[in-house]
Amino acid sequence: MDVAADERVRAARAYLLGVAEPPAPALTRLVTEQGAVAAAERVHRGDVPREVAELTRARAHRTVSPAELDRARQAGMRLIVPEDEEWPAWPLLSLEVAAGRGVAGMLSPLALWACGQSPLERTVRQSVTIVGARAATGYGEHTAAEWAYTLAAQGVTIVSGAAYGVDAAAHRGALASTGGTVAVLGCGVDAGYPAGHEAMLRRIAERGLVLSEYPPGTRPARHRFLVRNRLLAALSAGTVVVEADLRSGARNTASTATSLGKSVMAVPGPVTSRMSRGCHELVRSAGATLVASAAEVAEEVGGSGVDPEQRPAEQGRELDGLSRTAVRIYDALDARSGRSAEQLATEAGLPVGTARAVLCELELDGLSLRREDGWLRGRSVR
Amino acid sequence: MDVAADERVRAARAYLLGVAEPPAPALTRLVTEQGAVAAAERVHRGDVPREVAELTRARAHRTVSPAELDRARQAGMRLIVPEDEEWPAWPLLSLEVAAGRGVAGMLSPLALWACGQSPLERTVRQSVTIVGARAATGYGEHTAAEWAYTLAAQGVTIVSGAAYGVDAAAHRGALASTGGTVAVLGCGVDAGYPAGHEAMLRRIAERGLVLSEYPPGTRPARHRFLVRNRLLAALSAGTVVVEADLRSGARNTASTATSLGKSVMAVPGPVTSRMSRGCHELVRSAGATLVASAAEVAEEVGGSGVDPEQRPAEQGRELDGLSRTAVRIYDALDARSGRSAEQLATEAGLPVGTARAVLCELELDGLSLRREDGWLRGRSVR
């Protein structure tokens, strides 16, 4: 049974997404402390710390009503919020962990606008991000399309940015197979950007999801694509750079993925090709794994969760990847007496939102149990 | 002033090279213990341990006289022996160190046949080995030729195996520049193999050296190329694999270079090319460094010794590379009282031949001093 959030929460988060340009740490802090509805009311009234007031002053008057959400829904757009069961709390937790380590700009989004009906968490549970140069060569487009086709046919969702070149080839490869694909945009999901990709974006929404943390109507801008890159990196288990010049958005996504503790892979190419220089440099200097086939990509991000049969074998791996936080929550659990998320968060020294996300994911693995009196420890990982 | 070995020693080693198929550990041991002249006489008489007798029985009767060496010289072939100043004791020491660690087949050659007048040690002092597929693609041949040209023009000698494909492209690239190149063969230097490369081999001899541990007249055979590969790997500071299928001679040379503690580099290529698969696998699984330009190769093997001005900075590096052996000998030296190579070998627990090679090289770096009463410690490395 899907658990959907209260419509007031959804309207509040829609408002909060629009009221300040993300990432806005002070606003996120307010939401974590007060909850979305109270935070939205206070921002609207101007009853907020000075830092938040400065961030939100220009747009605080723009309210979002449940009726407006309904109209957006009729136009094919919906808002996914952290209170929804389909919220990808586990992959996005990597952003909070990185933020906790002091990596700038690594905030989890307050919500995500979406076109498409696929449940987000399930869609990205086994996924890989494929990115690369807009000015890709035939080699790069061929590789992106072939690998995306092969991986999608195996049930791996292809996450990319819908840009010209490598991104589009990756989405189209996935669409050509039976698999799913997710586009994350740096503008509103209705912006019709990039020009000429409208039909592709419609097909992505039919088969998977088109996502953005920018409200409908937001125009593309360079800084928004860089902010967006953290979501490309965070949503999947790993990022493959197919082609990239030495300075490129794809390399930015790759270095973000590294900060998030995700796998970073690079496709080699001819040393005579400018468009492979960034990939070679990633292998030489940034610790990226050279991948020469779709099978090697699958091996690298392998078994990140779609198949319940595989999950026991993955636990160690998943906990390893996020060990500090997950282990701290796990250790705070007791096998016999239930504890609230708030209690556990206090004990583990983590934000309540983080504790809740970790608890839900531990539950999927049977490592935590939800009872009326609170959370219990499940069977041991060790 | 060049120090050349006694002609009796040279004739003895020419005989010993021909009397057993290398590598022949038992024969090498006899030569180390008895010296080349005594060992040759004993092999000829059959007055040797059973193991050596079995190895040498079939060919023990084939003597080599100084007159025969003269005839070979008139035909353009000469024998370089460990007693010659031009013997590359330092690079070949890597074979003895690997043998000491138990790596099979890693014997230093008893001598080397050569076409060409370049002094061997100086020629390979700053060098890189470039190898790859015989069935190279245009991409592989282009890359090998371009990089060899660039490196050779910078004074880096190109070592390769004179085979079709990548090897020939590397030699030709070096010949097209002003630099030197060395071919190491798995047959006699006069075997005219591979067919069609006679003119290239003549040009290599004019500009650098054509080498083989097989006596003139020895025909090519598959196992000889594998034995030869250790010399390709040992003579230079590092090996670059330009193109290779998953199973290939070039990969054999690369794995030998790894055993010898030398740098191993691989050139990436299109993932769609069969001939780049071996290179990608070397990076993925064998710890090879991905190199995407000649400059990156130069950086990797950089400053391996041609410029005396650079030597002080390299000492740490060179001693690091061979630390166990070199440091053991260095530690056995005393700053005031001279010791013989035999005494030092005993103290360091190393063969006398190894001790001598190390002492000579330490001397070049000023770390050992030769006096009438024996060897002294030079200035400190630390």
Side-chain angles (χ1 to χ4, degrees), chain A residues 27-78:
Chain A
L27 183 62
T28 299
R29 217 156 32 235
L30 186 74
V31 174
T32 306
E33 286 161 12
Q34 308 269 325
V37 174
E41 281 165 3
R42 289 184 58 177
V43 168
H44 192 235
R45 284 203 310 272
D47 174 22
V48 286
R50 199 164 57 95
E51 205 183 350
V52 179
E54 280 169 8
L55 278 172
T56 55
R57 190 171 299 135
R59 306 186 194 160
H61 63 281
R62 303 187 195 161
T63 56
V64 178
S65 67
E68 280 173 278
L69 288 180
D70 265 344
R71 280 196 294 279
R73 215 171 271 130
Q74 279 153 25
M77 296 175 284
R78 64 199 182 90

Side-chain angles (χ1 to χ4, degrees), chain A residues 94-154:
Chain A
S94 61
L95 291 166
E96 293 174 36
V97 172
R101 286 204 322 271
V103 183
M106 292 299 114
L107 275 189
S108 192
L110 290 169
L112 286 166
W113 282 97
C115 287
Q117 297 309 314
S118 302
L120 175 52
E121 192 277 329
R122 207 174 304 160
T123 303
V124 298
R125 206 183 283 171
Q126 183 153 336
S127 62
V128 69
T129 300
I130 297 183
V131 291
R134 276 187 291 272
T137 69
Y139 167 67
E141 294 195 353
H142 169 85
T143 305
E146 283 291 315
W147 292 14
Y149 179 93
T150 306
L151 290 162
Q154 290 167 7

Side-chain angles (χ1 to χ4, degrees), chain A residues 144-169:
Chain A
E146 283 291 315
W147 292 14
Y149 179 93
T150 306
L151 290 162
Q154 290 167 7
V156 177
T157 296
I158 305 302
V159 178
S160 192
Y164 299 126
V166 167
D167 286 16

Side-chain angles (χ1 to χ4, degrees), chain B residues 162-181:
Chain B
Y164 300 127
V166 167
D167 286 17
H171 288 302
R172 289 190 170 118
L175 290 170
S177 85
T178 52
T181 182

